[in-house]
Amino acid sequence: MLTRIGISLENALLSQFDTLIERRGYENRSEAIRDLLRKALVSDAWEGGDENQERVAAVLMVFEHDASNLTQKLTHIQHGHHAHVVCSLHVHLDERFCLEVLVLRGSAHEVLSLGENLIATKGVVWGRCLPATTGEELQPRYEHPHAHP
């Protein structure tokens, strides 16, 4: 069920929003606003939610593969937290640099702590921990035809 609402925006802000919508490929303003709301809700859940509630996050790291046993250090950390590392992807970017992407799952504290620990490992030249959602607290984009009320 959808509920229609109205909002008031300055012309300049609406013009910038329409440019953003076009650049990102949204079908309409409503879908773009729904997406912004979902992002805000996920962010709020991470900031003010129950620290013991299950969370997921993606960790991205770029590093030099020859940097002082770094690959072994990162693998050792992951094995020490194997219950929280759902999967990993290792990509050779060129002859020097690698990108590693990990999906982590656990309590907010466990996931963020592990993500930050990996990123802070000496030799990681760039890293980011991106909090995500299991989807449980968000409404779907559409009603699934087999959904039960």
Side-chain angles (χ1 to χ4, degrees):
M1 179 173 151
L2 294 175
T3 301
R4 186 174 296 264
I5 64 169
I7 61 172
S8 299
L9 300 173
E10 296 85 5
N11 287 337
L13 182 59
L14 181 59
S15 177
Q16 287 177 305
F17 187 54
D18 285 339
T19 300
L20 176 77
I21 288 169
E22 185 177 328
R23 190 171 60 246
R24 293 196 178 169
Y26 286 104
E27 290 183 25
N28 54 53
R29 290 175 178 162
S30 292
E31 191 55 44
I33 289 170
R34 284 191 290 270
D35 208 26
L36 289 171
L37 289 170
R38 288 184 196 102
K39 287 177 186 174
L41 291 169
V42 168
S43 178
D44 184 64
W46 273 88
E47 292 171 9
D50 179 2
E51 286 228 346
N52 295 316
Q53 185 176 1
E54 184 178 56
R55 300 279 185 226
V56 293
V59 176
L60 293 87
M61 298 175 287
V62 174
F63 56 89
E64 286 189 78
H65 67 86
D66 286 338
S68 183
N69 296 323
L70 180 59
T71 303
Q72 291 83 2
K73 290 176 188 174
L74 294 173
T75 301
H76 180 73
I77 293 169
Q78 292 174 50
H79 278 274
H81 300 276
H82 64 87
H84 302 300
V85 179
V86 176
C87 69
S88 64
L89 169 69
H90 185 92
V91 178
H92 303 281
L93 298 174
D94 58 24
E95 65 279 346
R96 186 173 165 200
F97 289 98
C98 296
L99 166 70
E100 189 145 316
V101 181
L102 304 170
V103 176
L104 307 179
R105 187 174 209 152
S107 72
H109 173 74
E110 293 165 332
V111 167
L112 288 179
S113 178
L114 176 54
E116 294 300 327
N117 187 18
L118 287 160
I119 292 166
T121 303
K122 184 178 179 180
V124 174
V125 297
W126 178 87
R128 186 123 190 228
C129 184
L130 302 167
T133 178
T134 62
E136 290 296 319
E137 67 272 10
L138 297 178
Q139 293 296 314
R141 291 179 185 253
Y142 60 91
E143 285 295 321
H144 191 279
H146 303 293
H148 296 91

